[in-house]
Amino acid sequence: MKLIVQVPCYNEEKTLPAVINSIPTQIPGVDVIETMIIDDGSKDGTIMIAEMLGVDHIVRHKQNEGLAASFADGLDECLKHGADIIVNTDGDNQYPQQEIGRLIEPILRGTHDMVIGDRQVQTIEHFSPLKKFLQRFGTGVVQTLSGVVIADAPSGFRAYSREAALSINVISTFSYTIETIIQAGMMRIAIAELAIATNPKTRESRLFKSMFAHVRKSMMTMLRIYIMYSPFKVFLWLGLILLALGLLPFIRMVYLSIVYHALASGHIQSLIFGASLLIIGFLNLCLGIIADLLAINRTLIEETLYRMKKLEYSRSIK
């Protein structure tokens, strides 16, 4: 059983030693433990520090590509190096690496393929009330969309089995955390959670410039991934709502004509508006059918990609 702990990094020379040095060297049930950093175009001495610390694998980005790209490239490299379990942690030492043994227990037992570290956000002192509220609200939305009961959707302290890592395809350019949960829920990947205590804050987040930007990008990611996996449901409900609204002016016209004997010519504008809504609603239903066919095609492509990756990575570790 081989475990690789990957650490996406961007200018983390000050905190990387604490991260690497706190990674367990022995875990019951694991034969080999290796470390990997994904350097996302750092301008400081992150790579030099990683080499001094004896990091087993170093993935280099020539320029900053973002956290999602770093995470995805890390998964790819871990699979190429034969990882049976992949743990992701952050380079700012936010997460307790010493808990990795507990984090991977459900995977070792074979009961789950993905485990998320629950930071128990409501207990973190340096998180503002607004940030705690937004985290709770965002996690609730992710639960609704994915059907997965979780407490801390944005947590980056995670463990993946090899099968889960092979199945997941990151397309977001912002953050992988929300996207992978929704994907896992749609793919029926078994997810567990582990309550953890975070380390003291070392720096401000570099993922977003403002709270508003974070919320906006997170909501766009949720919507995009959900539509990708459930397009017919989205367009069906949107089409039905528009059709219902489009019928209202016609119902109103019939009511006025019967009760007040009003002339239909006095309601031309509302009838045109209603007809427009009916047309748009019908087009949404048509789009839903087309999008559903595309989603079926996407599922087949994902299955093909899974088999290709499994074959490619099995060859690379021979």
Side-chain angles (χ1 to χ4, degrees), residues 162-181:
R162 185 174 182 84
E163 286 299 306
L166 284 167
S167 301
I168 288 173
N169 299 294
V170 179
I171 62 171
S172 171
T173 57
F174 172 55
S175 176
Y176 64 90
T177 55
I178 293 171
E179 175 182 355
T180 51
I181 291 176

Side-chain angles (χ1 to χ4, degrees), residues 17-318:
V19 175
I20 299 300
N21 291 331
S22 60
I23 295 174
T25 56
Q26 290 184 338
I27 297 176
V30 177
D31 303 308
V32 180
I33 300 176
E34 295 179 353
T35 55
M36 173 186 294
I37 73 158
I38 305 92
D39 179 69
D40 195 25
S42 296
K43 302 297 189 295
D44 63 357
T46 296
I47 291 181
M48 181 183 68
I49 295 296
E51 291 172 343
M52 291 175 58
L53 291 169
V55 172
D56 298 288
H57 311 286
I58 298 177
V59 179
R60 293 177 172 87
H61 288 172
K62 294 180 180 179
Q63 61 181 4
N64 186 261
E65 298 182 20
L67 182 59
S70 297
F71 172 80
D73 288 346
L75 283 189
D76 186 61
E77 288 298 320
C78 287
L79 290 169
K80 286 180 180 178
H81 286 89
D84 298 296
I85 302 176
I86 301 168
V87 167
N88 185 88
T89 189
D90 283 356
D92 62 358
N93 198 37
Q94 174 187 176
Y95 302 114
Q97 285 72 228
Q98 62 271 16
E99 296 278 23
I100 287 176
R102 292 180 58 222
L103 187 72
I104 67 173
E105 276 183 9
I107 297 177
L108 289 174
R109 291 197 305 266
T111 58
H112 296 83
D113 288 299
M114 181 175 168
V115 187
I116 301 173
D118 173 15
R119 295 170 294 175
Q120 305 175 82
V121 170
Q122 302 307 313
T123 66
I124 301 178
E125 295 182 358
H126 65 266
F127 275 22
S128 67
L130 176 60
K131 188 170 184 178
K132 291 179 180 179
F133 168 77
L134 290 174
Q135 188 275 344
R136 186 166 61 248
F137 174 77
T139 296
V141 175
V142 173
Q143 286 190 57
T144 302
L145 297 179
S146 66
V148 178
V149 179
I150 48 172
D152 189 10
S155 173
F157 190 49
R158 303 180 173 199
Y160 298 85
S161 69
R162 185 174 182 84
E163 286 299 306
L166 284 167
S167 301
I168 288 173
N169 299 294
V170 179
I171 62 171
S172 171
T173 57
F174 172 55
S175 176
Y176 64 90
T177 55
I178 293 171
E179 175 182 355
T180 51
I181 291 176
I182 297 177
Q183 277 195 28
M186 297 295 182
M187 294 178 178
R188 300 296 187 267
I189 294 174
I191 302 177
E193 264 193 318
L194 172 70
I196 60 171
T198 58
N199 294 322
K201 182 179 179 180
T202 57
R203 60 165 174 78
E204 296 296 332
S205 174
R206 300 192 187 115
L207 185 59
F208 51 90
K209 296 180 180 180
S210 67
M211 191 68 67
F212 174 76
H214 177 66
V215 172
R216 177 176 57 82
K217 290 183 178 181
S218 295
M219 295 304 292
M220 290 299 296
T221 298
M222 293 179 200
L223 182 61
R224 183 184 184 191
I225 299 304
Y226 185 74
I227 291 177
M228 186 175 76
Y229 281 91
S230 301
F232 184 71
K233 185 184 296 184
V234 173
F235 286 107
L236 173 64
W237 280 107
L238 182 58
L240 291 176
I241 291 171
L242 290 171
L243 287 174
L245 293 175
L247 285 173
L248 291 178
F250 291 92
I251 295 174
R252 174 174 173 267
M253 181 203 71
V254 172
Y255 173 79
L256 293 175
S257 299
I258 295 175
V259 177
Y260 298 103
H261 304 287
L263 296 176
S265 59
H267 307 282
I268 295 299
Q269 295 87 345
S270 61
L271 293 179
I272 293 175
F273 179 69
S276 300
L277 289 177
L278 289 174
I279 293 171
I280 296 173
F282 177 74
L283 289 176
N284 269 274
L285 294 179
C286 294
L287 284 174
I289 295 173
I290 296 172
D292 190 52
L293 295 175
L294 292 175
I296 294 172
N297 189 52
R298 190 213 71 254
T299 302
L300 296 175
I301 292 174
E302 283 184 343
E303 178 63 24
T304 303
L305 182 60
Y306 166 82
R307 294 177 182 274
M308 289 178 62
K309 287 194 292 185
K310 196 169 186 177
L311 181 62
E312 176 188 353
Y313 296 143
S314 63
R315 288 176 176 175
S316 65
I317 60 178
K318 288 182 179 180

